[in-house]
Amino acid sequence: MANGSSSYLSPAIILVAVLVVVFMAVFLAGTNRSEFENPMDISAFEQALHDEGLQTCIQGDVNWMTTPGFVRGLFYDISTNCSTFDPNRPEARVWVLEFSNIEARDAAVRNFETSRRHIGSAIVWVKGSMVILVDGSQRTEVVSALREAMASIEA
Amino acid sequence: MSNGKSKALGVFALAMINVAAVLSLRNCPSMAIYGWSSIGWYLIGTIAFFIPLTLAGAELATGWPLGGGVYAWVREAFGEEAGFVAVFCEWSNNLVWFPTVLAFIASTFAYFLNPALANDNKFMFVVMMVAFWGTTIISLLGERTSSRFGSFGVVAGTIIPATFIIVLGLAYWFSGDPISLPPFSLSATLPDINISTLPFIAVVVLLFAGMEMAGFHALEVKNPQKDYPKAMALSAILIFVLAVATTLAIAIVVPVNQLSLAAGLMQAFQSFLQSFNLTWVVAPLALLVALGGLATLASWLAGPALGLGAVAAKGNMPPFFARTNKNGAPTGVLILQAVIGTVVSMLYLFVPSISTTYWILSAMTVLLLCIVYMLMFAALIKLRYSQPGTPRAFKIPGGIAGIWVTGGTGFIACMFTFLVSLIPPANYEHMSVLAYAMIMLIGTAILALPPLVFLRLKKPSWNIQPKKEVQG
C-alpha cells in the first residue's frame, strides 16, 4: 500500500503553503491587542451582590502564587440567606479574579472553559480586568440573582 | 491495520490505552470543588455511562474484534453509512478538541521551566506543535511503538502522580490536621440536583468518554476474546479508583478558594504541595503530568485515525485516506489530522476574538461524541437481535433485559447530554436559546455528515485493495 514519495510531494507542498499563510494571518491578527479600556473595581461586584439581596456567607483570598499576570482574587460563598447556609450544600461559589493584562485574563478564561469537555453548570463573566467564575453546587434562585447582579455591572 | 507481524498488544497495553484516553488529572481539581458530593456525582457518571460503556465495549470488542472499533460495530448493526458516520464523528471531534489538550500539555510543561511562559503564545505554540507532531510521528511508527509510549506515559504521567497525591492526602487525613472539607456525612455525598446543576450531569458523563478506544486496536490484540474483558475490567477499576481518590485527596487538603482551573491544573497542585512544604516537587510533577497529557493525546490521536483508515481501506474514501506505511499506520489520515489540528491550534492561540467561536466549536465536539456513543449503544442492542448466534467471549449478563438496561441507560445518558449541550451557557445572554441550538445543530451536521458525501461520490478507483478484506 505504500506509494512512491513523489505522489506525496504535491499535496505536501500545498499543505505547507497553506500552513504558512494561515500562520502569518493569525500571527499578525494575534499581535494586535489592546489594553484594558475600563478596569473594574472589585467593590462594584460586591455592591451589585448587595443590590440583588445576596449575602456573602464565606469569603476568602485567592492566593495563586505562580499564575502569571494574576493581581489578586477573592472567593465568595453566597446565598440569599446565610442563616440557613450549609457548607455541604453551597448555593453559589464565586471567584473574582483580577489580572494585569489581557493575555493573562484571556488565558485564565481559556483555562477554565477548556478544562473539561463540557462546562456544565459553570459560568464565566469577563468584566474589564476581572474574570468572575461560578463553579460547583448551585441553587437556581441564587444563580438567577447573581446573573442579574452581573448584568448590572458595566465594564 | 495489521502488518503481518506478531500481535503486539496484551491485557496491560490494552488497559493502558483506555486509561490514557479516559483518566486525566486535570478533571480532579474541578471535581474537588464539589467536596463530598463529588462522590455522588462520580457515581452518577459511573452508573449512567461508565459501566454501560465498559460493558458495551467488552461485548462488542469480543464479538466483533475487527479493525475500526466503533466503525466496525456500528456497521455490523446498521450498515456502512452509520458506521462511517460514527467513526467520522469521533475523528472530527478530535480535530477541534486537540488544541485543548495541547494547550493543557504546554501550560503544564511551562511549570517545569517557568510558569510565566504559560502566557507566552509563542512558547505555547512551539510546545503544542512539538507535542502534536511528535505524537503523530510516534503513531506513524506503528501500534507497537505508540502503545509502548502510551503505556509509559500513562504510568509515569497519570498513575504515579495520582498515587503520589492520594498517598499525601491519606497522610494529611491521618495526621489529624484540620481538613478543608466540612464534616463528612452520608447526606453530604448526595449531589444537589436542580435546574442549575442539571448540566453538570453532562460533565460527569463525559469524564469517562474514551473507554471504547481500545476497540480500535483489535487487529493487534494477541487474544481479543480473552484479553478484552480483562483489559476493560482493569482499566475501569483503575480509572474509577484513581479519579475519585485523587479528587478527594485534593478536596481534603486544598481550601476550595484555591481551586479553580482558571489558574490551570498546576496551580491547584502547587497549593496542594505547599501544605506539605513540597513545592519543589511542582516542577518534576509538571513534567510528569505533561507526559500524561501526551499519553492522552496519543490515545485519541491514534484510535479514530485507525478507524477512519479502516473505512478508507474499504474504498469509501479517496485513496489518500487509505495510505498506510510499512508499520501499518494510516499515514494519510494521521498527516491530514495533524495539518488540520495545526491550523485549528493556530487560530485557538493567536486570534483574540476566537474565544467564543472556539468555545462553540468545542461544545459541538460534545454533540459529536454523543452521536458516537448513541450509535454504539444502539448497535449493542440491535446486534443481540440481528446476530444472536455470534460468539461473544464476554456477554452482558441478564439476557435481553440486561442488554436493554445497559444499552438503554447509556443511550439515555448520551441523549440527555446531547440535549443539555444545546442550551447556551448562563453567560451567553446575547444569544437566544433557539439561535444557539440552531448553530450547534447545523455546525454538528457539517462536522458529522461528510461521510454521506464521500459515499455519494464513491468511485471504484478508490478501492485500491479490492481483494483484501479488511477485518472491519
Side-chain angles (χ1 to χ4, degrees), chain B residues 112-432:
Chain B
F112 177 64
L113 302 172
N114 173 6
L117 290 169
N119 279 2
D120 184 336
N121 280 348
K122 294 180 189 71
F123 168 83
M124 291 285 286
F125 180 71
V126 169
V127 176
M128 286 167 72
M129 289 303 100
V130 169
F132 195 30
W133 285 91
T135 314
T136 298
I137 289 168
I138 288 170
S139 296
L140 287 169
L141 296 175
E143 289 177 67
R144 187 186 296 261
T145 307
S146 73
S147 105
R148 279 180 185 161
F149 171 75
S151 296
F152 172 72
V154 76
V155 171
T158 305
I159 294 176
I160 289 175
T163 307
F164 176 66
I165 289 164
I166 293 165
V167 169
L168 286 181
L170 285 171
Y172 191 89
W173 173 279
F174 288 114
S175 73
D177 287 340
I179 64 170
S180 296
L181 288 174
F184 176 81
S185 67
L186 208 54
S187 65
T189 63
L190 298 176
D192 198 356
I193 297 177
N194 55 51
I195 294 292
S196 290
T197 57
L198 217 49
F200 197 68
I201 293 176
V203 175
V204 292
V205 162
L206 291 166
L207 280 181
F208 298 113
M211 274 301 278
E212 77 289 358
M213 209 52 69
F216 285 112
H217 301 263
L219 296 183
E220 286 296 329
V221 179
K222 288 172 186 161
N223 188 346
Q225 272 77 14
K226 283 188 176 176
D227 289 352
Y228 261 114
K230 290 178 188 169
M232 295 301 266
L234 175 63
S235 53
I237 291 166
L238 270 175
I239 290 163
F240 182 78
V241 170
L242 290 177
V244 174
T246 308
T247 298
L248 288 177
I250 292 171
I252 283 169
V253 177
V254 184
V256 69
N257 48 318
Q258 305 305 334
L259 290 175
S260 169
L261 282 191
L265 174 72
M266 292 315 297
Q267 178 66 75
F269 283 172
Q270 172 127 7
S271 299
F272 180 88
L273 292 166
Q274 196 178 35
S275 302
F276 302 92
N277 293 319
L278 287 174
T279 47
W280 63 271
V281 177
V282 170
L285 187 64
L287 189 63
L288 290 179
V289 173
L291 185 60
L294 284 175
T296 300
L297 176 67
S299 187
W300 282 90
L301 192 142
L306 282 167
L308 206 60
V311 176
K314 294 181 75 67
N316 293 322
M317 299 177 85
F320 172 79
F321 292 91
R323 282 177 178 162
T324 58
N325 61 16
K326 63 179 180 180
N327 301 312
T331 324
V333 178
L334 284 169
I335 296 293
L336 181 67
Q337 79 178 15
V339 170
I340 297 173
T342 299
V343 173
V344 179
S345 296
M346 286 179 192
L347 297 170
Y348 172 75
L349 272 181
F350 290 109
V351 179
S353 59
I354 198 77
S355 179
T356 305
T357 312
Y358 181 77
W359 198 88
I360 289 177
L361 268 175
S362 183
M364 282 174 196
T365 69
V366 172
L367 300 185
L368 291 168
L369 268 184
C370 289
I371 292 170
V372 175
Y373 292 126
M374 284 191 282
L375 284 168
M376 187 176 153
F377 285 119
L380 175 77
I381 297 171
K382 172 82 185 301
L383 286 170
R384 270 292 181 101
Y385 288 96
S386 62
Q387 299 188 36
T390 301
R392 299 145 163 96
F394 174 80
K395 218 168 176 180
I396 292 172
I400 289 296
I403 272 290
W404 273 99
V405 169
T406 306
T409 304
F411 188 92
I412 290 168
C414 294
M415 175 62 84
F416 176 82
T417 302
F418 188 95
L419 294 175
V420 162
S421 301
L422 295 176
I423 302 169
N427 51 319
Y428 273 45
E429 290 103 349
H430 57 286
M431 199 180 288
S432 72

